[in-house]
């Protein structure tokens, strides 16, 4: 499908919705739910043989939101996410922001090299990380920097059981996970550090009966996105504010793509979090995608 706007823009379908440049004063997840209210039974994403509707996706985000608050506390701490290419990283991004946290997205290389800059310096006590990036050295660096919670994702999370069985049988994925191997080879994790599997993390949110509704603050910092270290040896971050993140999602939905009934869109989340990664976390939840 090719979209050619040539200066033409859709008229608002709903009062108060224009080109996406008007801000409807809704938090980003609330805004995504509102604009996808007619898509709840539509497939929002597919991951290794399992398909997830918008309703299931937003429920997962809600579970992550509550789990982040239960684990990290009711505060505005930073959550560092280094789990690119996994469906969990996108939902964790939205869940953390909806929990009124600030999200710091970083690739594993930078997290290894500049652990304190992404944790201690940003007041981060919780790290959400892909298990293939973990090793004993990074665990000790995070512990030294004051990280108290490490949420570990895996490529096997949300994978269809049949796909997982075949991949394991062919040796494409390991039967054992990082946590099991760490305990077997190293011993217990450092004292004061909680290491939580993703399934356990989501269960924390599912079991929580608390309801949290935070006010819309357009000037609140929502996320830091890593950019390449082009002029120095240190990585730089772009600050993304709550107002900007909502506007960007609206513009994607209503101007750039202009999806209609029957249209489909394939989104590949970038392997590493460069500036372009912001497009990945948004495009996956625009209306009708």
């Amino acid at each position: 499908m090719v979209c050619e706007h040539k200066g033409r823009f859709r008229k608002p379908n709903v009062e108060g919705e224009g080109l996406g440049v008007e801000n409807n004063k809704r938090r980003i997840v609330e805004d995504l739910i509102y604009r996808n209210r007619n898509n709840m039974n539509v497939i929002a994403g597919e991951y290794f043989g399992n398909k997830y509707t918008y309703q299931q996706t937003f429920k997962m985000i809600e579970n992550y939101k509550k789990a982040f608050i239960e684990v990290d506390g009711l505060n505005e701490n930073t959550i560092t996410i280094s789990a690119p290419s996994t469906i969990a990283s996108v939902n964790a991004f939205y869940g953390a922001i909806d929990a009124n946290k600030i999200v710091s997205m970083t690739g594993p290389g930078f997290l290894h090299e500049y652990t304190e800059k992404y944790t201690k310096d940003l007041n981060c006590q919780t790290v959400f990380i892909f298990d293939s990036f973990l090793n004993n050295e990074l665990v000790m660096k995070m512990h030294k920097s004051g990280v108290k919670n490490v949420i570990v994702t895996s490529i096997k999370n949300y994978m269809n059981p049949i796909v997982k069985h075949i991949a394991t049988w062919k040796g494409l994925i390991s039967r054992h996970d990082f946590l099991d191997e760490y305990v077997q080879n190293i011993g217990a994790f450092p004292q004061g550090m909680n290491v939580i599997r993703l399934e356990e993390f989501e269960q924390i949110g599912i079991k929580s009966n608390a309801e949290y509704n935070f006010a819309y603050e357009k000037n609140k910092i929502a996320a830091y996105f890593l950019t390449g270290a082009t002029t120095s040896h240190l990585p730089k971050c772009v600050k993304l504010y709550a107002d900007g993140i909502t506007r960007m999602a609206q513009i994607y939905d209503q101007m750039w793509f202009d999806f209609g009934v029957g249209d489909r869109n394939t989104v590949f989340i970038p392997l590493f979090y460069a500036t372009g990664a912001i497009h990945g976390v948004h495009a996956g939840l625009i209306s009708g995608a």
Side-chain angles (χ1 to χ4, degrees), residues 199-214:
E199 295 90 343
E200 299 167 347
F201 178 71
E202 188 173 7
Q203 282 299 315
I204 293 173
I206 291 172
K207 293 177 181 178
S208 172
N209 294 321
E211 295 295 332
Y212 303 99
N213 294 300
F214 301 102

Side-chain angles (χ1 to χ4, degrees), residues 239-252:
K239 293 180 181 179
L240 187 65
Y241 292 83
D243 193 48
I245 200 172
T246 302
R247 285 171 183 254
M248 187 180 294
Q250 291 172 345
I251 290 171
Y252 272 35

Side-chain angles (χ1 to χ4, degrees), residues 174-194:
S174 174
R175 295 180 183 274
H176 305 287
D177 62 23
F178 169 80
L179 303 188
D180 292 332
E181 293 178 356
Y182 184 97
V183 172
Q184 180 178 347
N185 298 327
I186 307 297
F189 284 91
Q191 187 174 5
M193 176 180 280
N194 299 315

Side-chain angles (χ1 to χ4, degrees), residues 8-263:
R8 297 180 297 106
F9 299 106
R10 286 189 299 171
K11 293 181 179 180
N13 294 323
V14 179
E15 185 178 355
E17 286 191 344
L19 303 177
V21 294
E22 301 97 340
N23 196 311
N24 294 313
K25 307 305 179 187
R26 291 188 291 263
R27 292 171 62 85
I28 179 61
V29 174
E30 180 186 7
D31 187 69
L32 289 170
I33 292 173
Y34 176 78
R35 291 181 298 106
N36 284 287
R37 61 197 179 281
N38 297 321
N39 293 329
M40 289 301 169
N41 294 322
V42 175
I43 299 300
E46 183 172 353
Y47 189 75
F48 286 106
N50 272 349
K51 296 180 179 181
Y52 296 91
T53 64
Y54 278 89
Q55 185 174 22
Q56 291 172 315
T57 299
F58 288 128
K59 179 59 179 173
M60 194 182 301
I61 290 172
E62 175 71 11
N63 293 336
Y64 285 5
K65 168 187 176 179
K66 292 182 177 181
F68 275 123
I69 294 174
E70 292 290 329
V71 169
D72 194 74
L74 195 60
N75 52 52
E76 296 184 7
N77 286 351
T78 298
I79 304 294
T80 294
I81 298 179
S82 187
S85 78
T86 67
I87 190 173
S89 66
V90 178
N91 295 335
F93 173 85
Y94 288 111
I97 287 178
D98 211 32
N100 220 35
K101 307 289 186 177
I102 300 172
V103 179
S104 171
M105 308 289 263
T106 178
F110 282 108
L111 182 60
H112 270 271
E113 187 69 21
Y114 308 107
T115 308
E116 286 197 3
K117 290 188 176 296
Y118 290 105
T119 55
K120 189 175 182 179
D121 289 2
L122 293 177
N123 193 30
C124 169
Q125 297 181 1
T126 298
V127 173
F128 191 97
I129 189 168
F130 187 49
D131 59 358
S132 294
F133 302 157
L134 274 174
N135 56 36
N136 182 47
E137 180 184 2
L138 182 56
V139 169
M140 298 311 297
K141 281 183 177 180
M142 289 192 293
H143 180 252
K144 183 180 178 181
S145 300
V147 174
K148 296 180 179 178
N149 307 295
V150 179
I151 301 152
V152 182
T153 75
S154 168
I155 197 172
K156 293 182 283 188
N157 296 135
Y158 308 114
M159 185 180 286
N160 184 285
I162 296 176
V163 175
K164 184 187 297 186
H165 173 76
I166 294 174
T168 304
W169 175 63
K170 290 190 173 184
L172 300 176
I173 59 177
S174 174
R175 295 180 183 274
H176 305 287
D177 62 23
F178 169 80
L179 303 188
D180 292 332
E181 293 178 356
Y182 184 97
V183 172
Q184 180 178 347
N185 298 327
I186 307 297
F189 284 91
Q191 187 174 5
M193 176 180 280
N194 299 315
V195 182
I196 311 169
R197 287 182 172 87
L198 184 62
E199 295 90 343
E200 299 167 347
F201 178 71
E202 188 173 7
Q203 282 299 315
I204 293 173
I206 291 172
K207 293 177 181 178
S208 172
N209 294 321
E211 295 295 332
Y212 303 99
N213 294 300
F214 301 102
Y216 182 91
E217 300 176 70
K218 69 176 183 178
N219 294 320
K220 181 183 183 298
I221 295 177
Y224 300 110
F225 273 86
L226 177 70
T227 62
T230 54
T231 57
S232 73
H233 296 293
L234 298 177
K236 298 177 177 63
C237 282
V238 172
K239 293 180 181 179
L240 187 65
Y241 292 83
D243 193 48
I245 200 172
T246 302
R247 285 171 183 254
M248 187 180 294
Q250 291 172 345
I251 290 171
Y252 272 35
D253 182 16
Q254 299 177 29
M255 283 179 62
W256 287 19
F257 294 98
D258 197 13
F259 284 114
V261 176
D263 292 334

